[in-house]
Amino acid sequence: MAPPPLLPLLLLLAPLLSTAAPPTTTTTLPLYRHLPRVAEADAHHHPLSRLAAASLARASHLRRPGRHAGGSAAAPARVAATALYPHSYGGYAFTASLGTPPQRLPVLLDTGSHLTWVPCTSRYQCRNCSAAPVPAFHPKNSSSSRLVGCRSPSCLWVHSPAHLADCRRAPACTGANCTAAVCPPYAVVYGSGSTAGLLIADTLRAPGRTVRNFVVGCSLVSVHQPPSGLAGFGRGAPSVPAQLGLTKFSYCLLSRRFDDNAAVSGQLVLGGGGKDDGMQYVPLVRSAGDREPYNVYYYLALTGITVGGKSVRLPERAFAAGAGGGGGAIVDSGTTFTYLDPTVFQPVAAAVIAAVGGRYNRSKDVEEGLGLRPCFALPPGAKSMELPELSLHFKGGAEMRLPLENYFVVAGRAPSAAAAAASPGAAEAICLAVVTDISVGGAGGGPAIILGSFQQQNYYVEYDLAKERLGFRRQPCAASS
């Protein structure tokens, strides 16, 4: 799929200037749940079914991602047939101010990728996307917008040196119609679709910060993407933390109970300044091979998982990534429900079922309808259930003892209207909010565990890049706007 012509919208070409070091300040931005409207044709699907499918599609991308490529966008993988629904990209967005004068754009916080991109120009096309309006960036309305040239080091973020060889040998030229030295179009394939466009450099502004020549993808064509841009907070030179010169960033993810309240937000903190009170710290580690794309992820030094206070016996790949990138645990703001590969999920699910001890019946209809398991039926007349505690343990002694609402979800009586009609007296069910591709079988490549945003609700999470550690503490994240 070739991007539309860009010449009418491109400005003067200029080599990138060195980015000025940002001031040593702390910037706090509101972080909202991003809730694009569900298409009417898809509204009959149960919300949890949509979340589970989208989380699995996201996990598939992180474990077996598409590569950046030149020219046209590659066809999305088969899992891209999963439509984009609310929260399918983690759903936490903040407002970025790009250009001169500033244009305000919603972008999704994504710690699992490092390239930032925004919908670009009035000709932006998004196929099989949400019906919601898409705010687009207009380079022609920004006096500071410049195309990235193929000789710029930034062009190597999306292309190999071999791919750029011919472009870099081309004679230099100037002028509004000169395209010989432009960095070729990028294409990025995600688990839920793809996006393609050109790299541009422009001024990024946030309270207390002005960063010139911030490199961002100007996307012209997307497939199965949210009605917003994406801010890459993963490791690597293209990422927001790297381009802003941050040694620390933090976020507090709003509880899903506020999904329908636009006046309440969490927060994204750029820079230091946070208090260490009550924080527990986990070493950040890297995959053994330290190769793309796994060198973008934030791996955690996990040492164990307990269910109901009892340690779960897990395979070695749950704790460390091998040279090929397979195994290990990462933290990701863009995945909703935590993913466990089959070799990890099976013993964890078995431990949950054993801890319940037959007190509650399994709800097979709900499990089949939602793609979540195990699910337990609420006994008639009961208003509460006794469910086992789930904790993650890390090197150094840190323990993330998850509150019940962060790993179990109320699924209601039936996953669909048809199922409800077939079983009108069915009991409400509560399901473990974890996904796996268990039907595929085998361990496969990529991370064995992806700690998703649902499990991070009402946690203050700090990425201390200077000390290579991740901090966390439980706290309410709701703040009125």
Side-chain angles (χ1 to χ4, degrees):
M1 147 179 51
L6 292 178
L7 285 178
L9 301 169
L10 302 184
L11 303 178
L12 293 176
L13 299 174
L16 290 178
L17 302 176
S18 59
T19 301
T24 54
T25 185
T26 299
T27 302
T28 302
L29 301 171
L31 195 60
Y32 294 95
R33 294 295 298 178
H34 192 66
L35 303 172
R37 187 174 58 196
V38 178
E40 184 176 345
D42 300 315
H44 65 282
H45 293 292
H46 193 286
L48 292 179
S49 175
R50 298 195 293 263
L51 282 173
S55 298
L56 196 54
R58 167 73 174 183
S60 177
H61 159 64
L62 291 177
R63 302 181 74 227
R64 294 172 289 274
R67 297 180 60 83
H68 300 292
S72 60
R78 294 199 175 198
V79 293
T82 301
L84 184 74
Y85 297 106
H87 318 296
S88 64
Y89 231 92
Y92 290 93
F94 64 97
T95 300
S97 294
L98 186 67
T100 307
Q103 300 177 41
R104 291 170 58 83
L105 303 162
V107 287
L108 289 162
L109 172 70
D110 186 5
T111 61
S113 66
H114 57 14
L115 180 68
T116 296
W117 63 268
V118 294
C120 215
T121 81
S122 58
R123 304 179 69 178
Y124 176 73
Q125 299 177 24
C126 195
R127 302 173 185 174
N128 300 323
C129 299
S130 167
V134 180
F137 179 70
H138 298 276
K140 66 180 181 180
N141 294 338
S142 171
S143 62
S144 53
S145 186
R146 299 289 185 271
L147 279 168
V148 169
C150 67
R151 294 179 176 87
S152 167
S154 303
C155 192
L156 291 170
W157 295 349
V158 295
H159 297 290
S160 67
H163 184 78
L164 298 178
D166 291 341
C167 176
R168 292 186 166 193
R169 284 194 295 265
C173 63
T174 58
N177 294 323
C178 175
T179 60
V182 173
C183 183
Y186 64 84
V188 182
V189 179
Y190 295 102
S192 54
S194 60
T195 191
L198 291 179
L199 290 184
I200 61 173
D202 211 328
T203 300
L204 181 70
R205 293 177 174 85
R209 295 178 184 272
T210 298
V211 182
R212 295 180 176 84
N213 298 305
F214 182 88
V215 177
V216 60
C218 175
S219 282
L220 299 169
V221 176
S222 295
V223 178
H224 281 297
Q225 292 302 300
S228 66
L230 186 146
F233 272 74
R235 295 182 183 272
S239 73
V240 173
Q243 292 199 64
L244 269 59
L246 301 178
T247 59
K248 183 184 294 186
F249 69 91
S250 312
Y251 54 67
C252 202
L253 300 186
L254 189 66
S255 169
R256 288 182 53 85
R257 71 180 61 184
F258 294 107
D259 279 358
D260 299 322
N261 190 343
V264 181
S265 68
Q267 61 179 197
L268 170 66
V269 181
L270 306 178
K275 296 181 179 180
D276 291 344
D277 297 349
M279 295 288 286
Q280 298 186 69
Y281 287 96
V282 180
L284 288 172
V285 295
R286 296 178 184 268
S287 62
D290 199 28
R291 63 181 179 87
E292 291 187 1
Y294 307 115
N295 57 2
V296 174
Y297 306 155
Y298 295 103
Y299 283 85
L300 304 174
L302 182 75
T303 59
I305 296 176
T306 55
V307 173
K310 296 181 179 180
S311 180
V312 180
R313 187 173 181 177
L314 299 175
E316 187 61 31
R317 69 187 317 274
F319 308 118
I330 69 171
V331 58
D332 179 40
S333 67
T335 299
T336 304
F337 292 149
T338 286
Y339 168 85
L340 304 179
D341 87 2
T343 67
V344 179
F345 176 83
Q346 289 173 353
V348 170
V352 171
I353 294 169
V356 169
R359 292 191 301 273
Y360 310 115
N361 294 325
R362 292 278 295 276
S363 183
K364 297 291 187 178
D365 288 344
V366 173
E367 291 178 1
E368 293 175 3
L370 299 186
L372 295 173
R373 59 183 60 84
C375 296
F376 303 101
L378 184 68
K383 295 183 178 180
S384 63
M385 298 177 71
E386 293 182 19
L387 297 167
E389 185 179 78
L390 177 64
S391 296
L392 307 178
H393 301 265
F394 302 96
K395 184 178 180 180
E399 178 184 2
M400 180 176 279
R401 186 176 298 176
L402 294 172
L404 194 65
E405 62 269 21
N406 280 29
Y407 61 99
F408 273 102
V409 289
V410 178
R413 285 185 165 80
S416 67
S423 304
E428 291 194 27
I430 292 182
C431 300
L432 184 67
V434 172
V435 296
T436 187
D437 46 1
I438 195 167
S439 60
V440 177
I449 299 172
I450 303 172
L451 182 62
S453 63
F454 192 87
Q455 280 65 39
Q456 299 176 60
Q457 295 175 89
N458 282 332
Y459 272 92
Y460 184 84
V461 181
E462 175 187 277
Y463 293 72
D464 189 336
L465 307 180
K467 296 182 178 180
E468 284 291 316
R469 63 181 187 173
L470 181 131
F472 62 87
R473 67 165 177 252
R474 282 187 63 187
Q475 70 176 56
C477 290
S480 298
S481 61

